């Protein structure tokens, strides 16, 4: 296997992280909605944790995308 194809395979594997981050964001919002519908009084307290979880998950997805682009074109 030559270096160019190994770089592209590595970039494809690194890009999987962006897709997994999307699944994580959907899970975070889905679980928040379940909790808010079961206990509407606690929904206001959970808003900050929702945004923090979204930000961390999305940051990991962006890091995975940057690594994939760096491997593909770097």
């Amino acid at each position: 296997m030559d270096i160019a194809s190994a770089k592209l395979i590595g970039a494809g594997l690194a890009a999987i992280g962006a897709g997994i981050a999307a699944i994580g964001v959907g899970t975070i919002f889905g679980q928040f909605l379940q909790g808010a519908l079961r206990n509407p009084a606690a929904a206001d307290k959970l808003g900050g944790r929702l945004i923090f979880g979204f930000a961390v998950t999305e940051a990991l997805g962006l890091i995975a995308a940057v690594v994939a682009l760096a491997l593909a074109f770097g």
Side-chain angles (χ1 to χ4, degrees), residues 14-54:
I16 292 173
I20 292 175
I23 293 170
V25 169
T27 302
I28 288 171
F29 282 110
Q31 293 297 320
F32 171 75
L33 286 176
Q34 279 186 348
L37 291 175
R38 288 180 188 223
N39 190 0
D44 294 334
K45 297 177 188 175
L46 296 175
R49 291 187 177 130
L50 171 73
I51 298 302
F52 178 73
F54 168 75

